[in-house]
Amino acid sequence: MQLSREALLRAYRQMKLIREFEERLHVDIQTGEIAGFTHLYCGQEAVAVGVCEHLSTDDKIVSTHRGHGHCLAKGCDVDGMMAEIWGSRDGLCKGKGGSMHIADVDKGMLGANGIVGAGAPIAVGAGIAAKIDGKGHVAITFSGDGACNQGTTFEAMNMAVVTKAACIFVFENNHYSEHTGFEYAVGTQKDIASRAEAFGMKIWRGDGTDFFSVFETMREVLDYVRVPGNGPAAVEFDTERFFGHFEGDPQRYRGPGELDRIRETRDCIKKFRASVTSAGLLTDADIDAVDADVMDAIENAVAKAKAAPRPKPEDVLEDVYISY
Amino acid sequence: MARMMYREAVLSTIAEEMERDENVVVLGEDVVGGNGTAGGPEAIGGIWSTSTGLYGKFGADRVIDTPISESAIMGAAAGLALTGKRPVAELMFADFIGVSLDQIWNQLAKFRYMFGGKTKCPAVIRMAWGAGYNAAAQHSQAVHHILTGMPGLKVVMPSTPADVKGLLRTAIRDDDPVIFLEHKALYGVKGEVPDDKDFMIPFGHARLTRAGNDVTIVSTGLLLGFCEAVADKLAAEGIGCDVIDPRTTSPLDEEAILDSVEVTGRLVVVDETNPRCSLAGDICALVAEKAFASLKAPPLSVTPPHTPVPFARELETAYLPSIPKIEAAVRKVLSYR
Ligand SMILES: Cc1ncc(C[n+]2csc(CCOP(=O)(O)OP(=O)(O)O)c2C)c(N)n1
Ligand SMILES: [Mg+2]
């Protein structure tokens, strides 16, 4: 199905926003001003955006330790996210959560998560709630090729099937869990979706480096799961992570030239641009204008995060119901 | 004596014990690091550098890289231990006991007693714990109070490279499940370590790191160093502190603490777990029950508040006990009556 000019521009802007958000963090983290562990989503933008462009705020997502892309794609405020990662009082979680725990429940974003595999069961709960409410809303859990080995993920898949939860398991296979290759760690080699199928789910597969592949695949998945009574589904997207597992990872597990090659041939943003301009759907000028707009938004978010008030020591005891 | 880092003491002790006893096996996530990648096995090695080179030396049967499956890792350690092996399992972050607690608590810990004393369960579960890295609520926690409260587990908390060496060797040779807690902030700390390949420190023996007659301070991990700094500062003013590092919280060297309090009459316990049902509360209760007559002031504890660990630098700093907070507590027990 042909997307409108507005829809194309929006999807591109979302992907570019994630890309530049992460590229900027990659630079700023090296100054030492940003604390904590940060896992960048660069390279996987087409998955988050291709999924979330189908969703309303009533649809829920549950994310991972690599959550910035999912959060932005689901509509979390860029300034609030940047401020959170900078640990400021204006952050989406007031500086209490940081990169791994960004959440905005009002936007249907039920949290990034520092515990690998913790998100899937939460999405089952949200998917059961969606089923009970009967309005065709869904809950989506993003999991990596590493997270798919957790018992929590297996339990969640089976429970989603038996409860007919309106739940979608999106597996982002970026081929690595930390420093270990998925062909070593996933016994069903080269395949996560077949596991989901074995649990009794209808499955799909798509190219996670191609927005249109993700978007069209997700249209089918969502058409299926939104039908009351159909229950859950799973989809695996093959994708790439452009940075290390965390910022500071020396990445010695990569092959020679691997990073250059995936940046050259597997970049969802380059592919999108090439495909829409060659089809005459958007012009280079259209895209350059979005790029400029995104760069301004990021610049602005960083400036605000730096200028934002720092948390005060007494804030530690805010949002508790009892203190000792 | 050799000078080495805390993390090097972990690695070299495991290597020496693997050399000595072929039943010792290592398992955990990324302990080989690079399996299934272009870089190949040991391209990186474990994230704490506490297993570097083991795979090359001892091979895939004895250095087992696992998927991200903490429940199965802990359970496999239990099964290995029941069948004649001596597993040294790594839980990357202590916080992940949440994922794997059944296998630790209902399985490993209970076998010996529940099976009528008919089995050994020689498993070591190593885990990195503690705050100080702005790693936020799920990667910064202190969990020793939870594990210390579980019958059947021995809980070890080394604070120096020498203690790592002596206690880890004891743990690996011990026939019961041992939780071995490595504080993240100490991995880079250097110290002298005995060369003797049989150097062992028995469990249940505290270490007196500063001696004095006026106040007893009990602490472990990162905060032990803070307490020593306070003791050194007060020593210059003529105030003497006994600083006691329990080294193992189960078994706990009650005698060392009680003997000290009998002399000083004053106790401050400084600990990284939250205040309720904590190690600090436990030791204060011990002293109140068994050394009440010696006390000149109510025992005091210095702990984080009853909250998760917050992310932002300012918040985490405010959360953790600090040198000024510890000093204030010591002065408070000194000025009581
Ligand atoms: C329960 C748990 N175990 C281990 C970790 C450490 N850890 C963080 S991310 C990660 C790898 C996750 O791999 P994958 O699911 O493929 O996600 P990716 O990092 O590729 O996005 C590991 C082992 C964790 N955070 N939580
Ligand atoms: Mg992965």
Side-chain angles (χ1 to χ4, degrees):
Chain A
M1 200 167 89
Q2 187 55 60
L3 283 169
S4 69
R5 178 183 158 79
E6 286 64 40
L8 287 172
L9 282 171
R10 206 192 114 85
Y12 178 76
R13 188 180 191 282
Q14 290 289 77
M15 289 202 292
K16 185 71 177 171
L17 185 68
I18 298 171
R19 173 67 51 92
E20 295 306 332
F21 190 92
E22 301 293 64
E23 293 281 1
R24 179 60 187 262
L25 277 176
H26 178 68
V27 171
D28 285 348
I29 282 166
Q30 285 163 33
T31 68
E33 284 175 279
I34 296 176
F37 293 140
T38 319
H39 308 82
L40 301 181
Y41 191 72
C42 255
Q44 304 182 203
E45 296 87 346
V47 179
V49 176
V51 170
C52 291
E53 281 301 282
H54 289 286
L55 308 181
S56 76
T57 48
D58 291 322
D59 296 312
K60 315 296 185 202
I61 69 166
V62 188
S63 173
T64 69
H65 58 286
R66 200 175 302 288
H68 304 168
H70 307 136
C71 295
L72 287 167
K74 194 67 172 69
C76 290
D77 177 49
V78 187
D79 296 346
M81 278 186 58
M82 193 63 90
E84 184 61 31
I85 294 164
W86 279 78
S88 90
R89 175 94 188 128
D90 289 353
L92 277 182
C93 308
K94 302 181 194 164
K96 293 251 178 69
S99 164
M100 272 195 289
H101 305 295
I102 293 174
D104 194 345
V105 175
D106 294 340
K107 295 260 161 60
M109 201 288 147
L110 308 190
N113 210 311
I115 302 296
V116 170
I122 298 169
V124 175
I128 293 173
K131 183 193 82 171
I132 293 170
D133 293 345
K135 294 180 185 148
H137 301 135
V138 299
I140 294 182
T141 169
F142 292 92
S143 312
D145 49 291
C148 83
N149 296 320
Q150 275 289 30
T152 46
T153 308
F154 294 162
E155 292 174 24
M157 286 198 277
N158 184 54
M159 188 158 149
V161 170
V162 303
T163 59
K164 290 201 181 301
C167 177
I168 299 168
F169 295 80
V170 173
F171 291 106
E172 293 182 80
N173 186 348
N174 63 9
H175 320 130
Y176 295 102
S177 58
E178 287 197 347
H179 317 138
T180 298
F182 92 103
E183 286 178 33
Y184 172 83
V186 178
T188 43
Q189 306 221 333
K190 298 202 181 291
D191 191 7
I192 298 167
S194 63
R195 283 186 174 173
E197 190 169 35
F199 276 104
M201 261 182 272
K202 214 165 142 57
I203 59 162
W204 279 262
R205 293 187 180 87
D207 178 354
T209 69
D210 175 3
F211 169 79
F212 297 101
S213 169
V214 176
F215 190 78
E216 292 308 323
T217 308
M218 283 309 295
R219 187 198 307 284
E220 289 178 25
V221 177
L222 280 151
D223 282 350
Y224 174 80
V225 176
R226 289 195 197 279
V227 174
N230 272 359
V235 52
E236 175 177 354
F237 293 113
D238 192 69
T239 183
E240 302 289 350
R241 116 163 110 68
F242 284 176
F243 285 115
H245 168 63
F246 60 94
E247 284 306 276
D249 173 3
Q251 302 188 69
R252 289 191 298 269
Y253 46 83
R254 302 255 193 201
E258 178 178 329
L259 281 171
D260 290 340
R261 180 179 52 76
I262 59 177
R263 285 246 186 202
E264 193 49 44
T265 63
R266 303 263 291 158
D267 181 339
C268 57
I269 290 182
K270 274 190 193 156
K271 285 190 187 182
F272 185 99
R273 183 175 186 134
S275 124
V276 293
T277 51
S278 70
L281 299 170
L282 296 175
T283 64
D284 280 316
D286 291 331
I287 290 191
D288 290 344
V290 173
D291 288 355
D293 178 46
V294 163
M295 294 313 277
D296 284 350
I298 299 296
E299 199 58 53
N300 197 21
V302 173
K304 281 188 183 162
K306 286 187 179 179
R310 302 301 305 170
K312 292 193 277 305
E314 58 268 30
D315 297 344
V316 170
L317 293 180
E318 190 189 39
D319 295 319
V320 296
Y321 52 82
I322 189 157
S323 47
Y324 298 104
Chain B
M1 288 286 206
R3 199 169 162 72
M4 65 175 75
M5 280 191 270
Y6 186 96
R7 64 155 53 87
E8 292 167 334
V10 173
L11 174 59
S12 61
T13 310
I14 296 173
E16 285 159 15
E17 290 304 295
M18 291 186 80
E19 201 89 61
R20 174 184 170 271
D21 180 351
E22 62 179 21
N23 286 321
V24 178
V25 299
V26 163
L27 68 160
E29 291 161 14
D30 270 315
V31 294
V32 178
N35 263 320
T37 72
E42 302 212 299
I44 299 250
I47 71 160
W48 306 116
S49 307
T50 50
S51 53
T52 316
L54 294 178
Y55 177 88
K57 235 189 229 154
F58 302 104
D61 276 355
R62 292 181 65 199
V63 184
I64 305 161
D65 225 357
T66 70
I68 308 178
S69 309
E70 286 82 10
S71 231
I73 299 169
M74 296 304 126
L80 284 156
L82 281 181
T83 53
K85 305 295 177 206
R86 292 188 171 272
V88 180
E90 177 178 294
L91 196 57
M92 195 179 283
F93 285 82
D95 311 66
F96 307 161
I97 62 164
V99 188
S100 57
L101 199 57
D102 180 67
Q103 295 293 338
I104 298 173
W105 181 35
N106 283 321
Q107 313 306 328
L108 275 168
K110 298 204 171 31
F111 290 155
R112 176 163 127 177
Y113 184 86
M114 196 167 69
F115 296 166
K118 285 186 192 133
T119 185
K120 297 173 181 170
C121 190
V124 178
I125 314 291
R126 297 176 41 241
M127 50 186 90
W129 69 283
Y133 281 81
N134 310 105
Q138 297 169 346
H139 284 74
S140 304
Q141 297 172 87
V143 300
H144 49 274
H145 59 317
I146 300 173
L147 298 162
T148 301
M150 292 178 182
L153 296 178
K154 297 179 180 173
V155 181
V156 181
M157 307 183 67
S159 315
T160 67
D163 281 2
V164 165
K165 175 87 14 175
L167 292 166
L168 184 53
R169 199 187 310 282
T170 305
I172 294 172
R173 295 189 192 178
D174 196 283
D175 282 338
D176 292 310
V178 179
I179 304 291
F180 197 83
L181 292 154
E182 298 161 19
H183 199 293
K184 298 195 262 296
L186 300 180
Y187 273 132
V189 169
K190 282 190 171 167
E192 296 293 324
V193 172
D195 297 320
D196 178 3
K197 293 226 166 106
D198 287 314
F199 168 63
M200 291 167 70
I201 298 172
F203 294 163
H205 288 261
R207 184 170 63 98
L208 189 67
T209 83
R210 295 289 187 278
N213 292 332
D214 300 312
V215 184
T216 302
I217 307 177
V218 180
S219 190
T220 140
L222 169 69
L223 301 180
L224 178 68
F226 293 10
C227 295
E228 290 169 341
V230 169
D232 293 343
K233 180 174 176 196
L234 295 179
E237 295 177 23
I239 299 168
C241 303
D242 261 0
V243 178
I244 298 178
D245 172 5
R247 299 204 279 204
T248 60
T249 57
S250 185
L252 179 68
D253 188 349
E254 298 190 358
E255 215 174 278
I257 297 168
L258 294 171
D259 286 353
S260 171
V261 172
E262 265 159 33
V263 174
T264 63
R266 298 184 163 91
L267 174 72
V268 175
V269 188
V270 181
D271 191 48
E272 214 180 300
T273 56
N274 301 109
R276 294 299 310 278
C277 301
S278 63
L279 183 69
D282 186 63
I283 292 175
C284 288
L286 167 81
V287 165
E289 284 179 16
K290 297 192 181 165
F292 187 73
S294 312
L295 284 172
K296 297 175 192 153
L300 215 56
S301 61
V302 185
T303 69
H306 189 64
T307 71
V309 186
F311 162 67
R313 285 197 174 108
E314 294 83 348
L315 296 176
E316 195 189 57
T317 302
Y319 171 91
L320 276 174
S322 61
I323 290 176
K325 281 185 220 165
I326 298 165
E327 184 183 334
V330 173
R331 289 192 189 279
K332 192 170 168 190
V333 295
L334 279 166
S335 63
Y336 185 83
R337 275 208 298 253

